[in-house]
Amino acid sequence: MPRQGWTRADLGFSLLILGATVITRLPFRARMLYNWDAVQFALALNEFDVAKHQPHPPGYVLYVALGRLLNGFLHDPNQSYIALGIICSALTTTVVYLLGTALYGRLTGAAAALLLMVSPLFWFYGEIGLTYSAEALMATTVAFLIHRFRLGEERFLYVSASYLGIAGGFRPTALALLLPLWILGVSWARPTVRKILLAGLLLLLSTLSWFLPMVWLTGGWARYFEASWELFASVVHPTSIFSGNLSLTFGQLRFLLESTLVGLGAFAFVVVSSLWSLWRRGQLMPGRTELFLLAWIIPPALVYVFFHFGQAGYVLSFLPALYLLLARGLLRCIEEWAPLRLAPPRLRWAVSVSALAVLFLANTAFFVNARPGEFPEKGADGSKVGGLIRAVQVDSQHWLLSGTAAGLKENDWVIRTYVEAIRGLFPPGETALITELGNPRSYTWLRHITYYLPEYPVYMIQLGPGPQRYLAPHLVSAMVAIPSPVVPLPWNTHRLVWVVDRFHPDLEPPRGLKEIGLPHGRYLYVLELRQRAVSYAGYAFVRTRKLAGPARLATRGS
């Protein structure tokens, strides 16, 4: 931060970008809980229990606490978390402006903030109830605070350490991913050993201030670490470099690059032009400011490639840093463009603003107008689409076109269609619902169905290689799969209903299974039970009197 402090113009622009971010989010926010994790955060508002994945490990206790505070006013878990996401998005763009102004000047700060505001990926995650907007805010604020310390303001060493510890309560991985940036910033300022130890103590205490209550709320150390280890072993380790599967590592690299391109939108075209311009001028070596931003970008990127990359929102942990770098690169290229070198400053400024306006409008138009389509299974000539082409088509739908205003609206429609169709067609006292993990043609609907239809028993069976096991939240007190090929149904179950987008293409359906078409290209599959047991995919669905039936079913708060 410049030593002369802020002007009224800085304050005015900060309020402008904050308000504009809020206004652009309000019309497009999701009406239904977006995905599996969003449902788990909603369940956590009634009962916080990491072992039940309310929310999932490693736990997000401060995020849930703020969500619960907002829910006290809004009385809608989904809209409460979305409101929190909108607030975090608005604050992020504001802090990006402050940081960009401190690093490169006001024009760069304003350009980075405005373009980040309309980033398709950043915009999308500000419309759903997940933690990634909060992580963007945590990362940007840590960078801003440590930069203030680098400028000689000693108190920000302790403020940044305390804030970094608190950031872990919103998203625990942020603590580890931002620690290299904090250490680099501290080392450049060269504080005394006593000051470093005091800052480290504040970091530890601020972390323990939320970690210990979270463990207590979960039921103690053993229960917390058992749930965390189970999730690590089943989700993180199989995708890490230690699993020995390099194809997954290259797949995560591809997903990371694709998600980053979505996050940049039209700004991605600036990357090539900026690098080319810097290479021609021999200025490709980064300065200290660029190294500071790279220390923000590189550690998360390496973790996502070599350990785990769950969804595109992970990119928001370093996307603000990319926008700062690229905004600086674009403006420098314009300043040094030969036809403008001798031009009046006003003309150079006008060209810069015009280029930024084109990028701003392009990203806005894409998010508002782009629409997802169907996943094609055959080419125009009836032949199977080639593997690479198919992968590009699927990725463009999953990572690009689904993360738009139209994609959000379609997701709301699909969830509401399933809920209304099941509730309208099948009585809960005599119907059991089946969801699938490992079906390549379907989303895993377990969490949505248990939340929106708590009166039904719901099972999720795992398909594919490995032993048979299933999840049944109404039968267990923790989110742990039951290792058995026998799935017990309440004795009064008259039918099974498969809640899948489309049936598994490689499995033989049970005899008598009926298909019910739904809007938006989805289906329900119904099997009337005429005998005590039914076999499918190596599982035996058996009616038993040992279950108490609907009276034992979990409610939304369980």
Side-chain angles (χ1 to χ4, degrees):
M1 181 59 224
R3 294 181 186 277
Q4 68 268 23
W6 297 112
T7 66
R8 290 184 179 181
D10 292 316
L11 177 61
F13 187 85
S14 298
L15 294 176
L16 175 66
I17 190 85
L18 187 145
T21 305
V22 172
I23 291 171
T24 55
R25 270 53 178 174
L26 290 177
F28 306 110
R29 64 192 188 278
R31 267 53 181 184
M32 307 289 283
L33 292 164
Y34 181 74
N35 64 4
W36 178 294
D37 290 350
V39 176
Q40 299 190 142
F41 283 118
L43 290 168
L45 294 184
N46 287 334
E47 181 186 2
F48 186 95
D49 190 338
V50 174
K52 291 183 178 180
H53 287 212
Q54 297 179 191
H56 51 286
Y60 306 80
V61 65
L62 296 183
Y63 184 77
V64 173
L66 285 182
R68 184 172 291 185
L69 177 65
L70 290 173
N71 195 49
F73 297 96
L74 300 177
H75 306 291
D76 184 324
N78 184 42
Q79 295 307 314
S80 297
Y81 280 122
I82 290 175
L84 181 55
I86 292 174
I87 293 170
C88 290
S89 297
L91 292 174
T92 300
T93 55
T94 303
V95 179
V96 164
Y97 170 70
L98 302 180
L99 178 59
T101 299
L103 294 175
Y104 293 121
R106 289 184 173 86
L107 184 57
T108 300
L114 286 169
L115 291 175
L116 178 65
M117 183 181 76
V118 294
S119 158
L121 194 69
F122 184 70
W123 198 337
F124 173 76
Y125 278 98
E127 306 285 8
I128 58 179
L130 296 174
T131 60
Y132 303 108
S133 296
E135 184 169 26
L137 174 61
M138 299 298 116
T140 307
T141 307
V142 167
F144 176 72
L145 293 175
I146 199 65
H147 179 68
R148 294 287 295 266
F149 174 62
R150 287 175 55 210
L151 293 178
E153 299 181 71
E154 183 177 306
R155 67 183 183 279
F156 284 99
L157 171 63
Y158 310 118
V159 175
S160 65
S162 301
Y163 185 89
L164 179 58
I166 294 298
F170 288 85
R171 187 165 174 82
T173 53
L175 178 57
L177 297 178
L178 294 172
L179 191 59
L181 172 65
W182 186 81
I183 292 174
L184 178 66
V186 170
S187 65
W188 277 348
R190 296 182 179 180
T192 64
V193 173
R194 184 184 66 82
K195 293 177 181 178
I196 293 174
L197 291 176
L198 179 57
L201 178 61
L202 290 173
L203 174 60
L204 176 63
L205 292 176
S206 61
T207 301
L208 292 177
S209 69
W210 58 263
F211 182 75
L212 293 179
M214 181 177 68
V215 172
W216 177 76
L217 287 170
T218 304
W221 295 95
R223 198 162 185 262
Y224 174 80
F225 284 112
E226 181 181 1
S228 300
W229 178 255
E230 193 278 333
L231 185 69
F232 173 83
S234 61
V235 176
V236 179
H237 183 266
T239 63
S240 73
I241 192 69
F242 300 111
S243 69
N245 191 340
L246 290 179
S247 64
L248 285 176
T249 301
F250 284 111
Q252 292 185 150
L253 174 61
R254 187 178 106 226
F255 295 152
L256 175 64
L257 293 175
E258 290 174 345
S259 302
T260 303
L261 289 176
V262 175
L264 295 176
F267 215 7
F269 295 105
V270 177
V271 177
V272 177
S273 61
S274 297
L275 291 176
W276 172 253
S277 177
L278 292 173
W279 180 77
R280 287 187 61 188
R281 293 174 173 80
Q283 300 174 350
L284 203 55
M285 290 299 294
R288 177 162 285 199
T289 299
E290 288 71 35
L291 288 175
F292 178 71
L293 294 175
L294 288 174
W296 178 354
I297 297 169
I298 292 175
L302 292 177
V303 170
Y304 301 153
V305 171
F306 292 108
F307 288 91
H308 182 66
F309 188 68
Q311 58 177 295
Y314 285 22
V315 169
L316 266 60
S317 62
F318 62 80
L319 190 64
L322 275 178
Y323 267 80
L324 288 167
L325 280 174
L326 292 181
R328 175 59 174 170
L330 173 63
L331 294 174
R332 179 179 290 178
C333 287
I334 293 174
E335 291 171 1
E336 297 180 357
W337 187 32
L340 291 177
R341 286 182 181 176
L342 300 179
R346 288 186 178 181
L347 179 59
R348 292 200 299 270
W349 186 87
V351 172
S352 299
V353 171
S354 299
L356 295 172
V358 170
L359 295 172
F360 183 94
L361 293 175
N363 277 356
T364 301
F366 174 81
F367 180 81
V368 173
N369 296 305
R371 298 184 177 278
E374 295 290 333
F375 292 153
E377 296 194 37
K378 293 187 178 181
D381 59 354
S383 62
K384 289 290 184 180
V385 176
L388 180 59
I389 297 176
R390 169 67 175 168
V392 172
Q393 290 174 324
V394 171
D395 287 350
S396 68
Q397 293 292 331
H398 184 67
W399 298 95
L400 185 62
L401 298 177
S402 295
T404 59
L408 282 169
K409 184 176 292 186
E410 180 178 293
N411 190 72
D412 288 339
W413 285 342
V414 169
I415 297 170
R416 188 174 290 110
T417 295
Y418 271 122
V419 171
E420 292 176 353
I422 293 170
R423 185 169 282 150
L425 295 174
F426 310 111
E430 55 189 48
T431 304
L433 306 179
I434 309 299
T435 64
E436 295 180 345
L437 175 64
N439 184 339
R441 304 174 73 192
S442 180
Y443 176 71
T444 305
W445 287 104
L446 173 72
R447 273 314 208 179
H448 280 92
I449 299 303
T450 56
Y451 184 84
Y452 286 112
L453 297 169
E455 65 270 28
Y456 292 82
V458 186
Y459 304 82
M460 185 181 75
I461 58 174
Q462 182 169 312
L463 305 177
Q468 280 79 22
R469 58 181 189 168
Y470 65 92
L471 277 171
H474 61 285
L475 297 179
V476 294
S477 61
M479 184 61 73
V480 178
I482 300 172
S484 173
V486 179
V487 181
L489 305 173
W491 180 255
N492 58 346
T493 302
H494 293 175
R495 70 188 56 83
L496 298 178
V497 177
W498 270 259
V499 187
V500 293
D501 297 314
R502 295 183 181 180
F503 212 76
H504 197 294
D506 302 323
L507 295 178
E508 185 71 22
R511 182 176 299 179
L513 189 72
K514 296 179 181 179
E515 178 181 278
I516 299 177
L518 300 176
H520 317 295
R522 268 67 175 190
Y523 298 86
L524 288 173
Y525 300 87
V526 184
L527 180 66
E528 298 293 337
L529 297 181
R530 295 182 174 85
Q531 53 191 10
R532 183 179 176 185
V534 172
S535 296
Y536 165 69
Y539 291 90
F541 298 90
V542 181
R543 291 185 294 179
T544 175
R545 295 184 185 275
K546 294 181 180 180
L547 295 180
R552 290 244 343 246
L553 298 185
T555 64
R556 291 186 182 181
S558 64

